[in-house]
Amino acid sequence: MVERHHAGESPTAALPREPAARAAPEPDRPVARDGHPGSPSRRNGQKLLSLGLLTLAVLFVISLFVGVGDLSVRTLLAGTWDAETMRLMLVSRIPRSAAAVLAGASLAVAGLLMQMLSSNRFVEPSTVGTTEAAALGMVVITIFAPDASILAKMLFAASFALLGTLLFLVLIRRLRSKSSLLVPLVGLILAGIIESTAYFVAYRNDLLQSLGAWSRGDFSMILQGRYELLWIGLALAAIALFAADRFTLAGLGRDISVTLGIAYERIVALGLVIVSLIAALTVVTVGEIPFVGLVVPNLVTMAMGDNGRRIVPVVAICGAGLVLACDIIGRLVRFPYEISVGAIMGVAGSLLFLILLSRGRPARG
Amino acid sequence: MIEAAALTKLYGKARVVDEASLTLASPGVTAIIGPNGAGKSTLLSMIARLLPIDGGRALIDGLDVTRTRGDELAKRISILKQENGLMARLTARDLIGFGRFPHSKGRLTPTDYEKIEEALTFLDLLPFADRFLDEMSGGQRQRAFVAMVLAQDTRAILLDEPLNNLDMRHAVAMMRLMRRAADELGKIVVVVLHDINFACAYADRIIAMQGGRIVVDGPVEEVVSEETIEAVFGLPVMVRDVEGQRTCLFRA
Ligand SMILES: Nc1ncnc2c1ncn2[C@@H]1O[C@H](COP(=O)(O)OP(=O)(O)OP(=O)(O)O)[C@@H](O)[C@H]1O
Ligand SMILES: [Mg+2]
């Protein structure tokens, strides 16, 4: 476990002077273009959705008031709210909370897409090589073009992620037996190979520290101006919602998709691009956060089924809530020190996942 | 209208489907029979553009299946495969709704809802409409997939062993449904059957396959004879007319 002083807002750390941040972000309220009017699953879905949004809003407010800096609800009530506290709020707390929400939502959606594309419930970007390939991409671009803009670096990393994911899909298409556990296993092996390659290259080029930051999810360095790329993730999640029917059908397999007139290869390609971009975005800005993409879609599909149109919004909100909650816990357990969100999620996620497995959830079906 | 001209599928050197030709121009129920591995599923999959074709051509309403846009073909031909659904935690109603995709592209209209309800009713699925497929019995799930094909509402319908998992009552209901689809709605139904008696009772025409070839193709009375069935399946059988119904029994 990593613990470090809160870099962004330790009382002594000078806050960068930047213009005021935007207002607190609310996740886009998804439009339910839903199936049968008045069907029970639909009503359930909407109840879950509003409940999720409410929980997320509460977590967001809590997140705003947890930290080392002198900023609590008490200061708010006592009226000692001055320009300095305002700046802390705008430059650090709001961006940090927003980053957690955006990263969580997009990672959870990426996990869901990955599961649909490979028709297997036990995969997510960080267990099939996507995330590792993105980190490798960052290492490579940092060696060859260290001064490139962050956007350019991210896009380069995304292209690596795309290749890594493509390799995974090609591998599993070739598997004779698509046994449910073989698919995630192949993913883990591929991820391991790519990860060691990244470490080797980073080691040779003295970039181990940077690679550490990319592969360990952590929000403590998030400040205004350093997380905005993550908004693209939300836009990508919205695209996933827009194409949700097609992704759901892709999850049912190539044959059903083709029979219903869907350009299967094209929808898989779209999914790959979305997943790779989201992986690269989060690696670049906050580092790898494991398990969100695995646990959240599994819990949601167990409760609500696989109909993408219905579950994409719920998956996004639950992902955001889970990551935000883990970040808050990470800030609280060893106050005033922090435990990175990656580590907390590693514990929480693996526990949740073990529970899922022990309930005997089949990988397919 | 379904036309196959010398359709061929190769796996390595094996000619799994060997120059199979057939034309189905008018409404009716056509049964395909033949032993395991005869190439029935492969033939249907090629016609429905699910498998690449290694030789010959398949046309639906005169459109070459390898060159026509997928969404155009989806309004003309539908297929139920022998095995279905990997990730299928969908409700029966949702699944059947997806059958409307070629027409509605996901924005269901009142007509679509009507068709969905109709398909649910036809397949006796109303009690399970909002249950997840993975919480249904094999036969209920099979019916849900057939209902989806029905909801797609294409003129040509290919069904690969739709009686899988069905009890006798539902098997008969399924065959009657096909009959109605052909007689009342003018559908061209092609169905792979293993029970020759169902083929006798409900099909207009029977195509028998063996080793990748179409060996017999004709009306029921012509195809279902002791010599033909014995030749196709390599099994001694008795063929009798029982109360006017052509019946085929294996010899114990
Ligand atoms: N992917 C494949 N690679 C190699 N051979 C294959 C492949 N798929 C099918 N075959 C072979 O092609 C032949 C025809 O298979 P097909 O599924 O069309 O038979 P079928 O008539 O539908 O049989 P069944 O009654 O058992 O469903 C079989 O011998 C099968 O082993
Ligand atoms: Mg077959």
Side-chain angles (χ1 to χ4, degrees), chain B residues 97-111:
Chain B
F98 281 124
R100 297 300 300 163
F101 197 86
H103 308 278
S104 63
K105 302 285 181 228
R107 288 178 193 281
L108 298 179
T109 63
T111 324

Side-chain angles (χ1 to χ4, degrees), chain A residues 176, chain B residues 11 16 34-43 82 160-161 194:
Chain A
R176 273 262 167 229
Chain B
Y11 283 118
V16 167
N36 291 143
K40 307 178 295 291
S41 301
T42 311
L43 176 62
Q82 212 168 338
D160 197 350
E161 302 193 26
H194 277 300

Side-chain angles (χ1 to χ4, degrees), chain A residues 43-197:
Chain A
R43 261 179 278 126
N44 267 342
Q46 284 179 344
K47 220 190 293 168
L48 262 172
L49 210 61
S50 6
L51 198 72
L53 272 177
L54 193 71
T55 316
L56 188 58
V58 171
L59 283 172
F60 196 90
V61 173
I62 295 175
S63 168
L64 292 181
F65 293 100
V66 172
V68 178
D70 186 19
L71 202 180
S72 65
V73 185
R74 216 173 318 128
T75 50
L76 191 61
L77 295 179
T80 52
W81 182 279
D82 54 18
E84 200 52 33
T85 27
M86 191 64 195
R87 212 150 53 87
L88 180 60
M89 187 57 110
L90 290 180
V91 176
S92 167
R93 294 286 174 81
I94 289 177
R96 178 178 190 154
S97 311
V101 166
L102 294 172
S106 47
L107 281 173
V109 171
L112 178 68
L113 288 187
M114 202 57 231
Q115 287 152 29
M116 286 168 160
L117 297 183
S118 51
S119 295
N120 190 296
R121 297 195 190 280
F122 295 153
V123 296
E124 68 140 356
S126 72
T127 65
V128 303
T130 312
T131 314
E132 292 73 12
L136 175 61
M138 283 304 286
V139 171
V140 171
I141 186 74
T142 309
I143 293 169
F144 290 107
D147 299 326
S149 75
I150 190 73
L151 185 68
K153 283 183 174 173
M154 186 280 286
L155 287 175
F156 187 82
S159 64
F160 264 59
L162 193 66
L163 287 178
T165 324
L166 206 58
L167 188 60
F168 168 71
L169 284 187
V170 169
L171 281 176
I172 63 166
R173 292 273 142 86
R174 279 166 175 254
L175 279 185
R176 273 262 167 229
S177 107
K178 291 227 165 77
S179 123
S180 46
L181 288 178
L182 207 56
V183 170
L185 216 59
V186 167
L188 283 174
I189 293 169
L190 184 63
I193 294 172
I194 298 176
E195 189 174 18
S196 358
T197 312

Side-chain angles (χ1 to χ4, degrees), chain A:
Chain A
M1 298 226 169
V2 194
E3 46 180 66
R4 65 158 77 91
H5 224 359
H6 199 298
E9 57 173 75
S10 73
T12 48
L15 291 167
R17 298 186 181 280
E18 284 179 45
R22 263 171 288 181
E26 271 292 303
D28 274 356
R29 187 180 292 273
V31 191
R33 300 175 297 142
D34 209 316
H36 193 66
S39 84
S41 48
R42 178 187 167 157
R43 261 179 278 126
N44 267 342
Q46 284 179 344
K47 220 190 293 168
L48 262 172
L49 210 61
S50 6
L51 198 72
L53 272 177
L54 193 71
T55 316
L56 188 58
V58 171
L59 283 172
F60 196 90
V61 173
I62 295 175
S63 168
L64 292 181
F65 293 100
V66 172
V68 178
D70 186 19
L71 202 180
S72 65
V73 185
R74 216 173 318 128
T75 50
L76 191 61
L77 295 179
T80 52
W81 182 279
D82 54 18
E84 200 52 33
T85 27
M86 191 64 195
R87 212 150 53 87
L88 180 60
M89 187 57 110
L90 290 180
V91 176
S92 167
R93 294 286 174 81
I94 289 177
R96 178 178 190 154
S97 311
V101 166
L102 294 172
S106 47
L107 281 173
V109 171
L112 178 68
L113 288 187
M114 202 57 231
Q115 287 152 29
M116 286 168 160
L117 297 183
S118 51
S119 295
N120 190 296
R121 297 195 190 280
F122 295 153
V123 296
E124 68 140 356
S126 72
T127 65
V128 303
T130 312
T131 314
E132 292 73 12
L136 175 61
M138 283 304 286
V139 171
V140 171
I141 186 74
T142 309
I143 293 169
F144 290 107
D147 299 326
S149 75
I150 190 73
L151 185 68
K153 283 183 174 173
M154 186 280 286
L155 287 175
F156 187 82
S159 64
F160 264 59
L162 193 66
L163 287 178
T165 324
L166 206 58
L167 188 60
F168 168 71
L169 284 187
V170 169
L171 281 176
I172 63 166
R173 292 273 142 86
R174 279 166 175 254
L175 279 185
R176 273 262 167 229
S177 107
K178 291 227 165 77
S179 123
S180 46
L181 288 178
L182 207 56
V183 170
L185 216 59
V186 167
L188 283 174
I189 293 169
L190 184 63
I193 294 172
I194 298 176
E195 189 174 18
S196 358
T197 312
Y199 267 91
F200 180 75
V201 177
Y203 174 74
R204 279 306 181 85
N205 293 279
D206 209 15
L207 282 172
L208 275 182
Q209 208 166 358
S210 308
L211 181 59
W214 294 320
S215 46
R216 207 182 316 107
D218 184 1
F219 290 112
S220 64
M221 308 297 282
I222 291 289
L223 292 171
Q224 186 199 358
R226 290 203 203 152
Y227 82 101
E228 283 75 2
L229 267 184
L230 287 172
W231 284 99
I232 301 175
L234 196 66
L236 293 166
I239 296 177
L241 177 62
F242 189 72
D245 278 343
R246 289 175 169 81
F247 283 121
T248 309
L249 288 170
L252 288 176
R254 180 177 184 279
D255 287 347
I256 288 189
S257 309
V258 172
T259 301
L260 293 175
I262 285 165
Y264 179 75
E265 276 71 25
R266 224 181 295 160
I267 200 72
V268 169
L270 174 66
L272 280 178
V273 169
I274 294 179
V275 168
S276 307
L277 277 171
I278 288 177
L281 283 169
T282 43
V283 162
V284 170
T285 46
V286 299
E288 175 181 343
I289 306 175
F291 285 112
V292 200
L294 199 59
V295 171
V296 172
N298 268 286
L299 288 174
V300 174
T301 51
M302 251 160 79
M304 296 178 62
D306 284 327
N307 194 340
R309 183 187 288 199
R310 210 165 283 149
I311 61 174
V312 167
V314 181
V315 165
I317 288 168
C318 293
L322 181 62
V323 170
L324 194 53
C326 284
D327 186 44
I328 294 172
I329 293 170
R331 277 181 268 170
L332 287 176
V333 275
R334 302 209 49 197
F335 194 82
Y337 298 100
E338 279 202 26
I339 297 174
S340 73
V341 68
I344 296 282
M345 188 60 83
V347 176
S350 49
L351 274 180
L352 281 169
F353 193 56
L354 278 178
I355 293 172
L356 273 178
L357 281 178
S358 67
R359 288 252 195 110
R361 164 141 247 221
R364 308 157 73 190

Side-chain angles (χ1 to χ4, degrees), chain B residues 37-200:
Chain B
K40 307 178 295 291
S41 301
T42 311
L43 176 62
L44 289 198
S45 290
M46 282 192 289
I47 294 174
R49 73 192 177 296
L50 301 184
L51 271 181
I53 293 170
D54 293 327
R57 297 199 306 163
L59 307 177
I60 305 300
D61 297 340
L63 303 170
D64 190 318
V65 297
T66 54
R67 277 188 230 127
T68 309
R69 285 176 57 102
D71 51 356
E72 186 55 45
L73 286 171
K75 291 180 194 158
R76 298 169 186 274
I77 185 165
S78 53
I79 181 171
L80 170 80
K81 296 261 295 177
Q82 212 168 338
E83 283 118 21
N84 282 299
L86 301 162
M87 301 232 304
R89 200 167 161 75
L90 295 172
T91 64
R93 185 173 262 129
D94 282 352
L95 182 79
I96 297 166
F98 281 124
R100 297 300 300 163
F101 197 86
H103 308 278
S104 63
K105 302 285 181 228
R107 288 178 193 281
L108 298 179
T109 63
T111 324
D112 294 319
Y113 285 118
E114 248 166 59
K115 297 262 181 201
I116 294 169
E117 290 308 306
E118 208 174 270
L120 281 168
T121 317
F122 270 151
L123 284 139
D124 208 3
L125 283 165
L126 281 175
F128 322 105
D130 292 304
R131 194 181 294 180
F132 288 124
L133 292 175
D134 61 355
E135 293 167 358
M136 288 185 182
S137 80
Q140 292 161 355
R141 194 158 43 231
Q142 177 77 357
R143 269 146 56 203
F145 277 102
V146 173
M148 167 164 122
V149 169
L150 209 66
Q152 197 178 335
D153 199 19
T154 54
R155 195 158 113 91
I157 300 175
L158 311 181
L159 301 163
D160 197 350
E161 302 193 26
L163 304 187
N164 270 353
N165 292 318
L166 296 192
D167 63 41
M168 211 193 312
R169 185 169 83 86
H170 282 111
V172 169
M174 179 81 73
M175 294 307 299
R176 284 194 183 137
L177 186 67
M178 281 173 221
R179 218 32 283 164
R180 273 180 67 186
D183 297 340
E184 293 170 24
L185 306 173
K187 308 280 187 196
I188 301 173
V189 182
V190 181
V191 53
V192 175
L193 293 174
H194 277 300
D195 190 327
I196 294 167
N197 293 322
F198 276 115
C200 293

